[in-house]
Amino acid sequence: VGYALSGPAIHTSTLSNLGMVRLPDAMTPHIEAFDFLLGPSRVAHVDCAVVGYGDKLRINFSRVIQEAVVERAFFTMLVRHGVPVKVDSNTEATCPTVSSVA
């Protein structure tokens, strides 16, 4: 009831974490990575989904706004803290100023 009355009005974004995906040993040679995506909502302009597999953590953002301000700030902060980051995007201008560390 509380969410129905005011939730969407105060809801800014969603973060969902699936955690580490574990597969049977026979499957691991055939799987490189997993992605987990949330469909962007009309209320929350930026959503984030996280999934880990093997030694990689995938952080996927989806948004309904054009600007990549949240993603840029998030990944820039990780790079500044020495976390290796590789940015992939389905648009050319999503995070053009983020330094990528291999």
Side-chain angles (χ1 to χ4, degrees):
V1 170
Y3 181 80
L5 293 174
S6 65
I10 60 172
H11 179 217
T12 58
S13 63
T14 300
L15 170 66
S16 187
N17 183 0
L18 286 181
M20 290 299 291
V21 173
R22 305 213 191 289
L23 297 174
D25 291 340
M27 293 179 69
T28 58
H30 307 287
I31 307 295
E32 286 182 27
F34 280 88
D35 274 311
F36 171 42
L37 300 166
L38 297 175
S41 69
R42 287 181 220 129
V43 177
H45 298 297
V46 179
D47 290 327
C48 182
V50 181
V51 61
Y53 177 70
D55 64 347
K56 302 284 190 242
L57 182 70
R58 308 279 291 223
I59 303 170
N60 296 294
F61 286 90
S62 54
R63 58 188 155 89
V64 295
I65 57 175
Q66 187 172 12
E67 301 82 15
V69 176
V70 173
E71 299 97 307
R72 186 176 294 114
F74 179 79
F75 291 119
T76 299
M77 180 266 312
L78 290 180
V79 169
R80 285 185 180 148
H81 286 292
V83 177
V85 171
K86 179 178 183 268
V87 176
D88 290 324
S89 174
N90 64 348
T91 64
E92 291 181 27
T94 297
C95 292
T97 62
V98 173
S99 300
S100 182
V101 178

